[in-house]
Amino acid sequence: MQEPTFNPPYGGANQHVTDPAKHHGYLHLVAWSVHLGSYSEYIEGRCAEAKAAGAPADVIYERSGPGGVRTGEWVRFSSIETDTRDRAHSFVSMQEYVDELVHFQHARRKYHARRKTLPPFKLFTVTLTVPLTTTVTALNEEDARRSALAGWAQSPDGTATARLSGPPGAWVANFNGIPTVEEARR
């Protein structure tokens, strides 16, 4: 069971406010603010202000008066006229954002409810005994050994641990056998 991911049509990771405790149900305000490029801390503050003011759930912003002073008049998503093609496109994108946010929150609730019914996860150590092969460019055999084994650390019990690095596919493991699996002791 994989944890759900939030896949909005726009915005960056430092903008999204997906926690209901932080957006207080003001999904359109979140969508509007992300659309404008606001960061999550600012968006959370605006949602808290909307909640404190008792603003309707579909507000997108509060009007400002002279000098940028807030008027207490909240503009609702449902009252915006989409008189131009660009404006209509922006509002369709915002509604898609809201729909994805609703979908994500529903999926997270289902995921966490399901996780509560499952037994707790255990920690396992999976051991594969394999010959590993890699190709390195070196001056001689000793240089090749040093390059290939740069990430290896010898353990007191005679085994070795490796931090395998390099581009994907740089290491190849061929093995015949069944990996051993044992529960790790905490």
Side-chain angles (χ1 to χ4, degrees), residues 28-74:
H28 289 88
L29 178 57
V30 172
W32 173 263
S33 299
V34 171
H35 177 74
L36 295 178
S38 301
Y39 289 102
S40 60
E41 295 82 13
Y42 174 81
I43 297 169
E44 290 170 14
R46 295 301 291 148
C47 290
E49 290 171 6
K51 179 183 178 187
D58 73 334
V59 298
I60 55 175
Y61 65 89
E62 182 181 9
R63 289 197 194 275
S64 296
V69 176
R70 295 182 183 154
T71 64
E73 179 186 352
W74 292 88

Side-chain angles (χ1 to χ4, degrees), residues 124-146:
F124 290 92
T125 301
V126 178
T127 304
L128 301 171
T129 305
V130 299
L132 289 174
T133 305
T134 189
T135 303
V136 296
T137 304
L139 297 172
N140 55 38
E141 286 183 26
E142 184 60 31
D143 188 36
R145 188 175 291 108
R146 192 175 311 112

